[in-house]
Amino acid sequence: MQLKDFTIPRTKIDLPGPPIKGEKPFFMVRGITLDDMTFLVSQHLGPITRAVKMYQESKADILTTGSFQGFIMAMARDFPDLLAEVISAAADSLDDTTRAVAKQLPLSTQIIALNEIVRLTVEDAGGLKNLLAEMQERLKAAAASVEEK
């Protein structure tokens, strides 16, 4: 198989509301890529830095239980713009309208979407530890870049 024949894994996220033309409304998400991370870090360095610190404080519990629920709930509360941007990026729709809709989704839908985005991202990254190591490198590079300006 050639790379061009590969289909990026995506997951369907059901949206609230009645069926439209017999089908429940939904959108698709994929894992976050390095390009996405670079964009997110460039747009949300402060919140991402605080989120990484929050993650470090709850890392033992997350790694032990494998559950991101509490962490994602805290992120949704403290960083709604960042999470809307993550959902928009994973839905391949980085525009103001999509961000506004993502921000207004019910919390349960946001959590489901973020859990799936994390799952797909971690699978692509070869595990949570590899993903976190890559994120730390990107954050250090972004912080150095901001300091130079």
Side-chain angles (χ1 to χ4, degrees):
M1 173 163 91
Q2 292 188 11
L3 182 58
K4 68 181 179 180
D5 299 323
F6 178 72
T7 301
I8 303 297
R10 295 177 189 280
T11 298
K12 182 170 103 171
I13 307 298
D14 288 328
L15 290 165
I20 300 171
K21 296 182 181 177
E23 186 174 4
K24 183 114 174 97
F26 69 92
F27 67 103
M28 302 295 286
V29 295
R30 59 169 170 74
I32 296 298
T33 66
L34 291 178
D35 282 346
D36 294 329
M37 256 199 278
T38 300
F39 173 78
L40 291 166
V41 166
S42 74
Q43 298 298 308
H44 302 277
L45 180 59
I48 289 174
T49 302
R50 290 191 302 276
V52 168
K53 182 179 179 195
M54 186 187 303
Y55 173 80
Q56 292 296 331
E57 293 168 357
S58 57
K59 180 168 80 173
D61 182 50
I62 291 171
L63 293 176
T64 301
T65 64
S67 173
F68 285 90
Q69 294 283 336
F71 178 67
I72 289 174
M73 291 281 287
M75 294 278 296
R77 179 192 65 230
D78 295 346
F79 311 110
D81 292 335
L82 172 59
L83 292 190
E85 194 91 73
V86 168
I87 292 170
S88 298
D92 290 320
S93 191
L94 280 170
D95 59 72
D96 291 338
T97 303
T98 302
R99 280 188 285 274
V101 171
K103 194 172 176 180
Q104 293 177 14
L105 288 171
L107 181 59
S108 59
T109 304
Q110 289 177 332
I111 290 172
I112 290 166
L114 292 166
N115 274 326
E116 288 302 312
I117 293 165
V118 168
R119 183 183 64 77
L120 291 166
T121 301
V122 169
E123 285 176 1
D124 285 350
L128 185 58
K129 289 181 182 179
N130 291 345
L131 174 64
L132 294 175
E134 179 62 36
M135 267 192 77
Q136 287 178 337
E137 290 302 315
R138 294 279 176 157
L139 287 172
K140 287 177 188 174
S145 173
V146 168
E147 289 175 8
E148 289 175 4
K149 293 179 181 180

